[in-house]
Amino acid sequence: MERAIPHLRILSYIQAVSFYVDKLGFDIAFEWRNGPDEPVYLGIRSGEMLVHLSEYEASGPAGGGRGMTLSVHDIDAWNTRLKMAGVVFERELQAQEWGSKDFIVHDPFANTIVITSSE
C-alpha cells in the first residue's frame, strides 16, 4: 500500500499533545529525540490516519500555508467532540455543493486542519 503522511512543524510538545491527543483524539504512535533536551519528532495515529509532527527547525516554519485534510467517517461526531473540547473553529461545519461536509480548525502553531466527511 502507498500513502502520503502529512508532516507538520510544531513549536511545543506539550501544546501538540494537548491539541492532537487530548482534543482531536489521536494516539501517539512513536516519539523520537536525539537526547533528553532535544526537539521531538513524533507520529500520531487515529485509525488509518497517520501524521508526523516535528519540533526540529529543519522541518520548516509552522503555519504559513501548512496544513492537512482529515477524511473522517462521522463528521458530526468529530464536530461535536471538538466543540466540547473547546477547539476554536475557523469555519463551522457546512455542506459543500459536491456532497461532502467539512469544517476548518487551526492547531496551536497556525497549521490549518480541514476535517471532511469521507462518505
Side-chain angles (χ1 to χ4, degrees):
M1 166 176 66
E2 295 179 323
R3 65 180 169 177
I5 300 172
H7 174 207
L8 300 177
R9 174 79 190 280
I10 60 171
L11 303 175
S12 162
Y13 172 84
I14 292 170
Q15 286 181 308
V17 169
S18 174
F19 183 78
Y20 287 101
V21 175
D22 299 340
K23 293 181 180 174
L24 295 189
F26 280 80
D27 295 315
I28 295 175
F30 68 85
E31 291 184 24
W32 180 78
R33 295 176 189 264
N34 281 329
D37 295 326
E38 295 292 318
V40 68
Y41 188 91
L42 68 144
I44 56 172
R45 178 181 301 283
S46 178
E48 294 298 314
M49 295 184 288
L50 179 64
V51 178
H52 289 187
L53 304 173
S54 173
E55 284 182 322
Y56 286 87
E57 287 184 22
S59 295
R66 285 183 173 239
M68 65 179 163
T69 298
L70 302 178
S71 179
V72 302
H73 294 297
D74 190 345
I75 188 118
D76 295 315
W78 274 76
N79 184 62
T80 299
R81 184 165 44 83
L82 270 56
K83 282 184 182 279
M84 291 179 67
V87 174
V88 176
F89 284 58
E90 171 72 19
R91 190 182 75 222
E92 295 290 331
L93 181 64
Q94 63 185 29
Q96 301 297 339
E97 60 187 66
W98 50 86
S100 68
K101 295 192 299 186
D102 61 32
F103 61 89
I104 299 174
V105 299
H106 294 282
D107 73 7
F109 319 104
N111 295 307
T112 301
I113 303 168
V114 177
I115 303 182
T116 187
S117 57
S118 63
E119 291 87 73

